[in-house]
Amino acid sequence: MPRTSRTVTLVLSLILSGSPVPATNEASGQADTINAPPRVFLLDATQLRLMRQRIHDGDKTIAGAWAKLERDAQEALSEGPFSVVNKERTPPSGDKHDYMSQAPYFWPDPKSPSGLPYIRRDGERNPEINKITDHRSLDQVESSVDTLALAYYFKGDERYAAKAAQLLRAFFLDPPTRMNPNLQYAQFIPGVNTGRGIGLIETRGLTRVVDAVGLLAGSTSLTAIDERGLHEWFGRFLQWMLESKNGRDEAAAKNNHGTYYDVQVVSYALFVGRKELAVRVLQDARQKRIALQIESDGRQPLELARTKAWSYSNGNLDGLMLLARLGEHCGVDLWNYQTTDGRSIRIAREFLIPIALGERKWAYQELGGLQPQMLFPLMRRGANVYHDKQYQALIAKIADVSSTDRSRLIYPGRTTDKQAHQ
């Protein structure tokens, strides 16, 4: 039984029996949690423990990255709280606790006097969407909690944990401000519908919140009751994803939307203790995602059909790599899975590498212009998995990450620049 479940069960039973609650047991449990590997799923627990020790030891090769992270955490101390109830517009349910957002690529129809129904202009974001603030609030709580939790884990400063806990309570738990665990009204199209399954892509960043809770587990600020409440919220949200029409529609999506649906389901399932569900989704992803989305030469046709084909190809590959990372917790190897005709995560990346290195021109549309460096972080992450000399030689061709980049702290191999090697 997890520490929080044991603690809650113990406290409740003692209260009901009229017995005093022994503080020493809780303190001991807290110390055990601090010393144990963090319960994270996308982040690497071993890497995090190593970096925490190196920060404690004053390792100068990562000093820049740690200083930047701590500056970000200091700024986050004055941010928020964030909530979906702050939006001016009320969802069709009449409840501002329901998340709401407008489809970004839909615009008024110039041929219609009212502009309705809106029509699609793929890749062109309608600034009208910013009038509804839920998406921005969601992004802000994800970013702030992630930053604060990392800073707390590395330094142990309870101020960071206290602020992260405050933000989590406001967004997920406190009755006046919490978000209802559904996306019924996400990415609606004016004049067409009140919400779509596609809107589930907007909560993909909540996987970072799940890991942040694991990083905060040793703090005194995030209580056992808080943790239980977060588990209940994510459990209900997961069930909504599995059972609702919007959720089922997104599960059936064949492109990047289906990929990130799986990333969320697996992450939340692991978080709430439904490992059998996580394993099943990961096993299905071999055929449902990799084999279906990737051609034997590495092309991702459904992403190449978009007006920002480079961005979407990179984005879906990122999602598949996140799934592969989650698979490491479940004994499902997606990193090395390959169909009989050669479809795999690795071949999808190899299709994009010559473009990123300037060795081949991009033959597809990319509104706003190609940004080759978009692939570099995925190449670096792949270097931690694929250790053959040919791939390592390709990595040597790309620029090293900035000395202040956070990835130096959270990804293996990110802290070994040329000077450190010497």
Side-chain angles (χ1 to χ4, degrees):
M1 183 181 293
R3 174 187 68 87
T4 54
S5 299
R6 292 199 306 270
T7 303
V8 170
T9 302
L10 175 62
V11 170
L12 289 176
S13 62
L14 289 173
I15 290 173
L16 291 173
S17 66
S19 303
V21 179
T24 53
N25 285 351
E26 177 63 24
S28 175
Q30 183 187 340
D32 290 344
T33 303
I34 293 173
N35 294 325
R39 187 172 181 261
V40 293
F41 306 107
L42 288 175
L43 295 173
D44 186 317
T46 301
Q47 170 73 2
L48 292 172
R49 293 182 75 186
L50 172 64
M51 287 299 108
R52 182 169 65 176
Q53 186 61 51
R54 291 176 64 176
I55 290 169
H56 181 268
D57 293 342
D59 189 333
K60 293 183 179 180
T61 64
I62 56 172
W66 164 240
K68 177 61 167 64
L69 173 61
E70 189 159 33
R71 286 197 300 273
D72 292 343
Q74 290 282 348
E75 292 179 6
L77 287 174
S78 61
E79 295 176 351
F82 310 105
S83 171
V84 296
V85 304
N86 295 331
K87 57 181 173 288
E88 294 183 3
R89 187 167 174 179
T90 302
S93 63
D95 186 354
K96 283 195 173 183
H97 293 268
D98 286 328
Y99 181 93
M100 185 182 188
S101 66
Q102 185 172 321
Y105 298 153
F106 284 78
W107 296 71
D109 185 350
K111 298 179 181 179
S112 168
S114 66
L116 300 175
Y118 276 27
I119 57 175
R120 187 171 186 250
R121 287 160 53 178
D122 188 34
E124 300 179 45
R125 298 183 70 85
N126 184 347
E128 185 181 320
I129 65 174
N130 297 321
K131 294 179 181 179
I132 303 174
T133 56
D134 284 358
H135 195 178
R136 183 165 68 250
S137 296
L138 178 63
D139 287 346
Q140 288 172 319
V141 75
E142 291 165 353
S143 176
S144 294
V145 169
D146 177 47
T147 294
L148 290 162
L150 282 167
Y152 164 74
Y153 180 80
F154 287 137
K155 188 175 183 179
D157 189 331
E158 196 64 32
R159 291 179 305 155
Y160 300 141
K163 182 64 178 184
Q166 178 202 29
L167 298 179
L168 289 169
R169 291 188 198 105
F171 200 90
F172 298 101
L173 303 178
D174 293 342
T177 55
R178 66 188 176 197
M179 172 183 161
N180 290 333
N182 71 76
L183 292 182
Q184 188 64 35
Y185 306 109
Q187 288 211 13
F188 72 89
I189 304 172
V192 179
N193 54 44
T194 59
R196 304 181 294 161
I198 280 177
L200 271 73
I201 196 80
E202 295 186 359
T203 48
R204 65 192 183 277
L206 288 182
T207 56
R208 296 161 63 195
V209 171
V210 163
D211 275 7
V213 173
L215 296 175
L216 294 168
S219 76
T220 57
S221 299
L222 191 71
T223 69
I225 293 175
D226 293 333
E227 290 190 63
R228 183 178 61 179
L230 289 166
H231 277 79
E232 290 176 354
W233 193 96
F234 276 94
R236 290 173 60 196
F237 184 54
L238 173 61
Q239 202 61 32
W240 180 87
M241 290 181 66
L242 297 172
E243 296 178 350
S244 68
K245 181 183 182 302
N246 283 359
R248 294 194 305 271
D249 287 348
E250 192 75 337
K254 296 179 180 179
N255 63 353
N256 66 88
H257 281 268
T259 301
Y260 281 99
Y261 175 89
D262 285 359
V263 170
Q264 291 188 69
V265 167
V266 174
S267 178
Y268 308 153
L270 291 172
F271 181 59
V272 302
R274 297 183 61 179
K275 187 174 181 178
E276 73 292 338
L277 170 61
V279 171
R280 184 167 71 250
V281 172
L282 288 163
Q283 290 175 335
D284 290 346
R286 293 176 294 195
Q287 288 295 319
K288 191 176 181 180
R289 305 304 176 201
I290 296 174
L292 181 66
Q293 295 177 348
I294 303 169
E295 296 295 310
S296 56
D297 63 355
R299 289 178 299 116
Q300 302 173 64
L302 293 175
E303 311 309 328
L304 294 177
R306 304 297 296 269
T307 59
K308 303 180 77 172
W310 173 256
S311 298
Y312 276 95
S313 293
N314 278 272
N316 189 55
L317 176 59
D318 189 4
L320 292 172
M321 293 175 70
L322 293 175
L323 268 183
R325 169 65 186 143
L326 292 170
E328 295 175 29
H329 295 278
C330 299
V332 181
D333 184 4
L334 297 182
W335 290 113
N336 296 299
Y337 171 77
Q338 180 175 299
T339 64
T340 55
D341 62 348
R343 301 163 191 251
S344 67
I345 289 176
R346 178 163 184 160
I347 197 67
R349 193 181 61 258
E350 289 179 355
F351 175 79
L352 300 173
I353 286 175
I355 289 90
L357 297 180
E359 298 172 354
R360 193 173 76 221
K361 290 186 177 181
W362 184 241
Y364 304 90
Q365 191 172 3
E366 182 65 19
L367 289 181
L370 191 76
Q371 297 183 38
Q373 70 275 16
M374 187 178 292
L375 185 65
F376 292 172
L378 305 185
M379 292 177 65
R380 296 187 187 103
R381 277 160 52 191
N384 298 316
V385 178
Y386 306 111
H387 302 292
D388 57 278
K389 292 181 179 180
Q390 182 180 6
Y391 187 68
Q392 297 299 321
L394 291 173
I395 293 297
K397 295 182 179 182
I398 66 176
D400 197 10
V401 293
S402 165
S403 62
T404 60
D405 196 295
R406 186 179 302 186
S407 67
R408 288 179 169 270
L409 303 175
I410 62 178
Y411 292 122
R414 252 354 115 249
T415 61
T416 53
D417 58 23
K418 294 179 178 63
Q419 184 176 0
H421 275 307
Q422 293 171 359

